[in-house]
Amino acid sequence: ADGRRAGIDVRNCDFESMSDEDLRQLGHFKVVLAMDVLEHFKNPWTAISKLAKMVAPDGVLIASIPNVRYGPVLWNLVAGGRWDYADSGILDRTHLRFFTRSSAIELVREAFDVLEVKPLHMRRAALLNAATLGVFHEFLALQFLIKGKPRSQLAMH
């Protein structure tokens, strides 16, 4: 509703069930944001291929993917034997898939050339990351921002 008030074309749909024809009707976009959504799909690998069809050849995808390798999540699992779902965050109970830095990159590489990967930290974690010269960066990142450009449809498998 807020987007519509701002004059933005907002459409609600079941993205996973959209056909190639449905995607063609939407057209191509210079920037497609997949912010904290891929982990909610039954099949994020199919979703990433569909997203590639929406990004203009000179456009980019920016995906934000939670990091299940985050230190506190691992600590609770290893030291406490707990994997507790929550209403939000990395272990959000609506997440169907979980990714580490490398598996998130592999997901995006299904259909995109990865241009950049940036870890997102909470302020204290960013300071600790800098103090440890980035040795523990994968354990301190809440999520990763991944920027990619679509590969040619011919190059996709």
Side-chain angles (χ1 to χ4, degrees), residues 1-119:
D2 289 337
R4 285 188 182 99
R5 281 196 296 267
I8 297 171
D9 180 10
V10 176
R11 300 174 194 207
N12 293 324
C13 62
D14 177 358
F15 186 74
E16 285 190 286
S17 68
M18 290 181 76
S19 68
D20 284 350
E21 180 56 34
D22 295 333
L23 294 173
R24 270 192 293 282
Q25 288 179 13
L26 288 175
H28 289 97
F29 302 89
K30 286 284 224 175
V31 177
V32 171
L33 302 175
M35 308 306 281
D36 298 304
V37 297
L38 293 168
E39 63 277 8
H40 295 272
F41 288 121
K42 291 176 200 161
N43 190 332
W45 301 273
T46 299
I48 204 78
S49 294
K50 286 182 174 185
L51 288 171
K53 294 174 183 175
M54 297 174 63
V55 179
D58 60 339
V60 294
L61 167 81
I62 299 180
S64 152
I65 303 174
N67 176 26
V68 75
R69 201 172 177 205
Y70 183 56
V73 171
L74 292 181
W75 180 256
N76 288 337
L77 179 61
V78 174
R82 305 290 305 186
W83 180 272
D84 295 320
Y85 290 97
D87 291 331
S88 63
I90 295 168
L91 295 181
D92 182 314
R93 57 182 39 97
T94 64
H95 289 179
L96 300 177
R97 303 292 181 170
F98 296 91
F99 297 93
T100 63
R101 180 183 186 278
S102 61
S103 62
I105 292 169
E106 288 170 12
L107 169 65
V108 173
R109 280 190 179 147
E110 286 284 318
F112 292 86
D113 291 325
V114 172
L115 302 174
E116 186 176 2
V117 179
K118 283 183 147 178

Side-chain angles (χ1 to χ4, degrees), residues 120-132:
L120 296 179
H121 305 100
M122 291 182 15
R123 184 181 304 276
R124 285 180 296 159
L127 294 173
L128 181 59
N129 188 51
T132 60

